[in-house]
Amino acid sequence: MSTLTETRSFALESLDWDHLHFYVGNAKQAAHFYTTAFGFTPFAYAGPETGVRDRASYALEQGEIRIVLTSPLGPHGPIADWVRLHGDGIADVALRVDDARGALEAVRAGGATVLGEAHEERDEHGTVTYAAVASYGDTQHTFVQRNGYRGVFLPHFVPLTVTVSTPHPVGLLHVDHVVGNVGWGEMDTWVDYYKKAFGFGQLISFDDKDISTEYTALKSKVVSDARHRVKFPINEPAEGRKKSQIEEFLDFFHGPGVQHVAIATNDIIATVRALRANGVQLLDAPPSYYDALSERVGGINESVEVLRELGILVDRDDLGYMLQIFTKPLQDRPTLFFELIQRKGSLSFGKGNFKALFVAIEEEQAKRGTL
Ligand code: FE2
């Protein structure tokens, strides 16, 4: 007979990203944006034409990343409620498992809040098993057990035959981490939730001494599965002289939620050139950042001048270095954004860049009058 711990680690051993489910006001237009700006390819659709009455969903892919954009088709129901309150954002960080029932029982035994019992959906291409658990705010995790499902994406989805627009892939490979912003004093609650329910370990933590500027501050801890496939940094605001960017997020999002998704590339210079050519707005680093760069991170293979031109940041840890850049918010509310990241050995999340980054974010915040 297996112990609870063995059951938990076994059922959650296969954990990986499945898809990111965005709830948005206008999925058709959002699909166009993520295609033309970020180079995703729309490949599947579900809606009234496929037997789903209350919503329209577009599934897009690039590399191993799959995002789903869903809009409600009327004013009522949980998706319409979610979008009215939070604006466009990520409602579900769906995780692939080999055994959704086992995963659900494991996280339930560890104290997770179950939102949806394990159930199957089937069509002529096979069967998918789902279960759902709560995360921070109105965010959830759906466990997706695909059982070798042979359809284009998931039951009810059909191949998208009408091209939404022409994709220009920019070299996005896979999700590196998904960051949540939670309320004052709630970071440890959610770190413990992932430790106890998901069996995650804590990778790293920053406090407000690491991550503060004259005006803003935050605390952050990172939890991860044993294989380091699924990484969840959790941020909470800390006291500063003016309003923290985490508080600004909480105000506009109306509660905790996904702040950013970091997406890996193996050529960040080419990716950023392509994104800028596609009209994606990225945060600029303060010019002074590059004057001190070589001193701070030592030798790197990239030209500092090229990094300066593109606004790419660099950080180093014991294992190597990493390059990263952040987009501006992806919608009008200053909430969700993307990070592009290229790891060259480093497992860091860019602690050394937080301060430089915050200066840039605060310049944007000041323009909105919310600092
Ligand atoms: Fe990040």
Side-chain angles (χ1 to χ4, degrees):
M1 212 172 90
S2 65
T3 67
L4 179 63
T5 310
E6 283 164 351
T7 307
R8 177 150 71 222
S9 61
F10 178 75
L12 295 168
E13 212 168 66
S14 61
L15 202 70
D16 207 341
W17 311 107
D18 191 274
H19 63 272
L20 301 169
H21 198 162
F22 295 59
Y23 287 173
V24 298
N26 188 332
K28 178 180 273 192
Q29 289 189 4
H32 197 293
F33 171 74
Y34 286 104
T35 302
T36 54
F38 286 94
F40 284 90
T41 300
F43 70 99
Y45 169 81
E49 300 87 343
T50 76
V52 180
R53 306 311 305 174
D54 63 341
R55 69 191 72 176
S57 298
Y58 297 77
L60 284 64
E61 64 184 348
Q62 186 171 178
E64 296 173 19
I65 310 154
R66 284 185 291 197
I67 65 174
V68 181
L69 306 160
T70 292
S71 282
L73 297 179
H76 304 297
I79 301 171
D81 291 345
W82 199 99
V83 173
R84 189 182 67 252
L85 188 61
H86 302 301
D88 290 7
I90 295 178
D92 191 345
V93 178
L95 300 169
R96 193 175 319 154
V97 291
D98 290 341
D99 173 7
R101 258 185 196 82
L104 186 73
E105 291 319 314
V107 299
R108 190 190 334 249
T113 306
V114 172
L115 297 178
E117 294 295 335
H119 65 282
E120 294 184 346
E121 285 185 17
R122 71 180 68 237
D123 63 13
E124 68 269 34
H125 305 294
T127 303
V128 175
T129 311
Y130 300 101
V133 293
S135 182
Y136 38 76
D138 289 332
T139 314
Q140 69 171 43
H141 296 298
T142 295
F143 291 129
V144 182
Q145 176 189 339
R146 292 182 164 273
N147 308 309
Y149 179 76
R150 297 174 311 279
V152 63
F153 179 49
L154 291 169
H156 306 300
F157 280 83
V158 296
L160 199 59
T161 47
V162 179
T163 308
V164 173
S165 49
T166 308
H168 303 283
V170 299
L172 307 184
L173 297 176
H174 59 84
V175 175
D176 186 275
H177 57 275
V178 173
V179 182
N181 282 346
V182 300
W184 290 93
E186 293 178 357
M187 175 181 69
D188 285 328
T189 305
W190 288 102
V191 166
D192 288 345
Y193 184 84
Y194 283 107
K195 283 182 178 172
K196 288 191 184 119
F198 285 71
F200 278 14
Q202 188 176 323
L203 282 183
I204 204 161
S205 74
F206 314 113
D207 63 21
D208 43 348
K209 289 174 207 63
D210 295 324
I211 311 171
S212 64
T213 64
E214 190 183 352
Y215 294 121
T216 199
L218 67 76
K219 296 178 184 175
S220 187
K221 289 182 177 175
V222 183
V223 288
S224 160
D225 71 312
R227 299 190 303 160
H228 293 185
R229 288 289 299 177
V230 174
K231 289 168 280 190
F232 293 141
I234 311 277
N235 298 331
E236 71 174 30
E239 289 292 348
R241 272 182 51 198
K242 291 200 177 180
K243 185 186 277 190
S244 152
Q245 54 153 314
I246 309 303
E247 278 182 279
E248 188 198 33
F249 175 100
L250 297 169
D251 286 351
F252 278 90
F253 197 79
H254 288 266
V258 174
Q259 178 211 36
H260 76 265
V261 177
I263 301 174
T265 165
N266 60 17
D267 186 351
I268 197 166
I269 288 173
T271 295
V272 170
R273 281 197 202 287
L275 290 174
R276 288 197 182 275
N278 289 350
V280 172
Q281 294 182 308
L282 296 145
L283 282 184
D284 291 314
S288 57
Y289 175 87
Y290 295 95
D291 299 337
L293 185 63
S294 297
E295 200 179 316
R296 188 166 64 78
V297 302
I300 55 173
N301 296 331
E302 294 74 14
S303 148
V304 172
E305 279 318 300
V306 172
L307 300 181
R308 183 198 297 264
E309 172 203 329
L310 295 171
I312 296 168
L313 309 173
V314 190
D315 199 18
R316 183 180 280 284
D317 64 11
D318 297 346
L319 299 167
Y321 67 100
M322 56 91 100
L323 304 119
Q324 64 183 166
I325 191 167
F326 299 85
T327 72
K328 292 187 182 181
L330 299 164
Q331 56 293 306
D332 285 306
R333 295 197 203 188
T335 52
L336 176 68
F337 58 89
F338 283 165
E339 170 185 350
L340 295 314
I341 183 167
Q342 181 178 7
R343 294 190 180 279
K344 295 201 155 181
S346 168
L347 293 176
S348 118
F349 293 80
K351 170 179 159 178
N353 284 325
F354 275 49
K355 201 155 182 171
L357 166 72
F358 277 17
V359 171
I361 287 180
E362 282 170 14
E363 284 170 7
E364 297 293 316
Q365 228 181 310
K367 287 181 200 166
R368 293 189 287 266
T370 58
L371 187 62

